[in-house]
Amino acid sequence: MTYVFVFVFLLMIGYLGYINIWKADELNKNAYNTKQDANMDKYIRGSILSSDGNVLAQTTVTDTGEEIREYPYANVFSHVIGYASNGKSGLEASANHDLLSSHASVLTQIQDEADQEKTMGDSVVVTLNAQLQSAAYEALGSYNGAIVAMEPDTGKILAMVSKPDFDPNSIEEIWDSVVTDSSSSVLLNRATQGLYPPGSTFKILTTLAYMRQEPSDFRKFQYDCTSKLTVEDVTINCYNNSVHGQEDLKSAFAHSCNTAFSTIGLELDNDEFHSLCEEFLFNKSLPTKLQHSTSRFELDGSSSYGEVMTTAIGQGNTLVTPLQMAMITSTVANGGIMMKPYYVDRIQTHDGNTVSRTKPSRYKRLMTTEEARTLSEYMQETVKSGTATALGWYDFTAAGKTGSAEYVSNGYEGTHSWFVGFSNVDNPDLVVAVIAEDGGTGSETAVPIAAQVFQAYYSIYGH
Ligand SMILES: [Zn+2]
């Protein structure tokens, strides 16, 4: 089997460069941006603060009146907070309006005007926790890839890491080299813009499709895995040529049995499978303000055997962002309801008075509580007896799905390591999605990384 080269990073970086460089003149003429520029004469760009009260971005003014944007955590928050010169990215872009507005008291504003001084813009307090972010950043180590940590019942993003990273303090100095180096796409936020084959994490949706199409029979599913399945000229292997033997649906899921899931794929009405995936926002924009890429799901009733068998196990032409996989996992953890992911907890004045607060907002119910419960049970089995048993040693319960996503790039064949899952299974606290590029199997790399993030969460927030 040959899997198609999967990254569109080259395309993405081309796009970022296009927006930032070629469209700069046009954007500056745009009325909204002109208004922002006018605000820069009146306001000093406000601060961005973490949920645990640390400064993530602030502007200091030198004796000569020069305004310098500082990022105390440097590379740790580089993509999600972003930068504010050479174009804007991340929250610096999406919260730009709030940072260059002020709800300071009329008295303060009059005083500033009398002194011919600028007023401090409002502060944006984000949902990201600096301690958890730092732990996730450390956990990903030297891998390229991404981590998303979110609360399934609110949609709050608590951590979002992307590597390779950069130091936003020196964005102007490194700009020329990062925009011309298309091979590593340093500026790309892989958590929201990186498109990867989902590998076996996608079996969550294949399972859901099968449960819906065979509502009474899916519990009777039986399959005898011999590690290999050949239909016409297409052969699917179980990872590492494992022979899983006799399985029901739950054990096939827990072992991540490829041949069982390719068989399921062949039984599905793939037009219905296509609709289901689009309900889960494949081929659609995500309900979030941060820049992100649109995932891809092409399978339908007219697809070939090969496409059906590979797509059912998360290969084929399917591509997804880590954020979307976190949202799908959150839907399971949250009893079937997908929440809109969000990053801004509240806006406050420079001296700390709350101006507005974000209320968690539901996107939609995407599965019944019964469907969510069954998937949660299968994901728990993965930790109990399947590919994520390394998560079973801690003082929290966990559920999840691993993925080992094969890809081919310039003749090089590699495997991305995935894990998606949640902790405290009876009342889930945290969803974590991890992808370590070229990290091998999900079990060996992504699972231990996720374990570190869960552990950090409980040491910060308690049980
Ligand atoms: Zn198998």
Side-chain angles (χ1 to χ4, degrees):
M1 288 302 312
T2 320
Y3 299 117
V4 185
F5 171 54
V6 292
F7 287 96
V8 292
F9 289 165
L10 207 72
L11 202 117
M12 286 307 306
I13 197 70
Y15 181 66
L16 287 175
Y18 173 75
I19 283 289
N20 282 314
I21 301 162
W22 304 109
K23 291 204 99 174
D25 278 352
E26 196 181 320
L27 286 174
N28 288 340
K29 285 178 201 140
N30 173 303
Y32 182 76
N33 278 284
T34 307
K35 185 162 167 282
Q36 299 300 317
D37 283 351
N39 283 357
M40 285 175 70
D41 297 335
K42 208 169 158 205
Y43 302 112
I44 295 170
R45 192 174 185 79
S47 301
I48 301 178
L49 309 172
S50 71
S51 66
D52 48 342
N54 295 292
V55 174
L56 305 182
Q58 67 184 2
T59 296
T60 56
V61 185
T62 66
D63 294 343
T64 58
E66 192 192 352
E67 292 174 16
I68 297 171
R69 194 69 170 161
E70 294 172 343
Y71 302 91
Y73 284 82
N75 298 46
V76 175
F77 282 91
S78 52
H79 299 88
V80 63
I81 298 301
Y83 48 81
S85 58
N86 294 53
K88 291 180 184 67
S89 74
L91 287 158
E92 288 278 36
S94 63
N96 189 48
H97 176 76
D98 293 310
L99 294 166
L100 283 176
S101 308
S102 175
H103 289 81
S105 68
V106 178
L107 204 64
T108 304
Q109 301 211 32
I110 290 171
Q111 188 65 53
D112 286 340
E113 203 155 342
D115 297 345
Q116 292 192 317
E117 286 192 354
K118 291 185 179 182
T119 299
M120 284 303 303
D122 288 342
S123 299
V124 171
V125 182
V126 295
T127 55
L128 301 154
N129 180 289
Q131 261 184 284
L132 190 67
Q133 177 82 9
S134 300
Y137 182 85
E138 290 301 318
L140 190 56
S142 57
Y143 284 104
N144 287 345
I147 297 178
V148 177
M150 72 185 275
E151 283 182 1
D153 54 343
T154 62
K156 266 185 195 175
I157 302 290
L158 303 187
M160 177 173 276
V161 172
S162 174
K163 291 188 183 184
D165 50 50
F166 59 91
D167 182 354
N169 292 299
S170 50
I171 190 69
E172 284 171 30
E173 292 87 333
I174 61 175
W175 186 255
D176 287 341
S177 67
V178 293
V179 294
T180 50
D181 175 19
S182 55
S183 60
S184 52
S185 303
V186 171
L187 295 181
L188 191 84
N189 183 349
R190 281 161 161 77
T192 61
Q193 296 172 304
L195 287 169
Y196 298 93
S200 297
T201 61
F202 195 73
K203 287 172 184 161
I204 295 170
L205 290 185
T206 309
T207 302
L208 180 62
Y210 186 63
M211 283 162 45
R212 283 192 182 166
Q213 293 186 28
E214 300 293 341
S216 54
D217 284 348
F218 78 88
R219 288 183 194 281
K220 296 181 211 149
F221 175 86
Q222 285 292 321
Y223 185 80
D224 187 11
C225 166
T226 59
S227 99
K228 195 175 266 210
L229 172 70
T230 302
V231 177
E232 294 186 353
D233 59 340
V234 182
T235 297
I236 299 291
N237 291 298
C238 281
Y239 200 85
N240 218 9
N241 296 315
S242 298
V243 178
H244 294 117
Q246 198 65 39
E247 302 168 304
D248 59 9
L249 187 58
K250 191 203 260 188
S251 55
F253 184 96
H255 296 136
S256 205
C257 178
N258 286 341
T259 55
F261 274 85
S262 290
T263 304
I264 288 170
L266 292 169
E267 289 180 27
L268 291 177
D269 176 327
N270 284 308
D271 284 323
E272 277 182 37
F273 193 15
H274 189 94
S275 311
L276 181 147
C277 290
E278 291 201 335
E279 280 173 41
F280 281 81
L281 298 168
F282 276 84
N283 305 326
K284 304 255 194 285
S285 178
L286 303 179
T288 178
K289 280 181 186 158
L290 217 62
Q291 297 162 320
H292 61 275
S293 302
T294 301
S295 58
R296 190 167 84 189
F297 185 82
E298 293 180 346
L299 191 78
D300 61 24
S302 67
S303 301
S304 68
Y305 279 122
E307 278 175 82
V308 170
M309 290 160 75
T310 52
T311 304
I313 60 170
Q315 298 280 170
N317 298 320
T318 308
L319 293 173
V320 69
T321 60
L323 174 62
Q324 190 173 347
M325 283 313 304
M327 291 165 68
I328 292 167
T329 307
S330 290
T331 308
V332 177
N334 193 38
I337 296 167
M338 184 186 277
M339 301 301 289
K340 294 182 184 172
Y342 70 100
Y343 304 83
V344 174
D345 181 63
R346 62 187 187 275
I347 309 297
Q348 60 187 35
T349 60
H350 182 66
D351 48 10
N353 296 317
T354 300
V355 174
S356 64
R357 197 179 277 277
T358 309
K359 285 197 191 90
S361 153
R362 136 197 313 227
Y363 167 65
K364 217 180 252 184
R365 174 174 284 285
L366 292 176
M367 45 178 111
T368 65
T369 50
E370 180 57 30
E371 287 168 338
R373 186 164 42 228
T374 304
L375 287 170
S376 169
E377 198 186 295
Y378 291 4
M379 290 168 80
Q380 290 173 52
E381 190 64 29
T382 305
V383 172
K384 273 185 207 136
S385 69
T387 55
T389 48
L391 271 171
W393 308 336
Y394 299 96
D395 59 352
F396 53 84
T397 54
K401 185 74 198 79
T402 56
S404 309
E406 297 175 29
Y407 72 99
V408 176
S409 165
N410 297 326
Y412 172 80
E413 292 180 29
T415 305
H416 295 321
S417 177
W418 271 103
F419 173 80
V420 297
F422 50 90
S423 60
N424 196 24
V425 298
D426 292 332
N427 186 15
D429 297 318
L430 187 71
V431 161
V432 173
V434 175
I435 182 156
E437 290 177 18
D438 215 21
T441 65
S443 310
E444 65 187 318
T445 306
V447 170
I449 290 171
Q452 287 185 54
V453 179
F454 287 125
Q455 272 186 295
Y457 173 85
Y458 287 109
S459 78
I460 296 163
Y461 292 87
H463 283 266

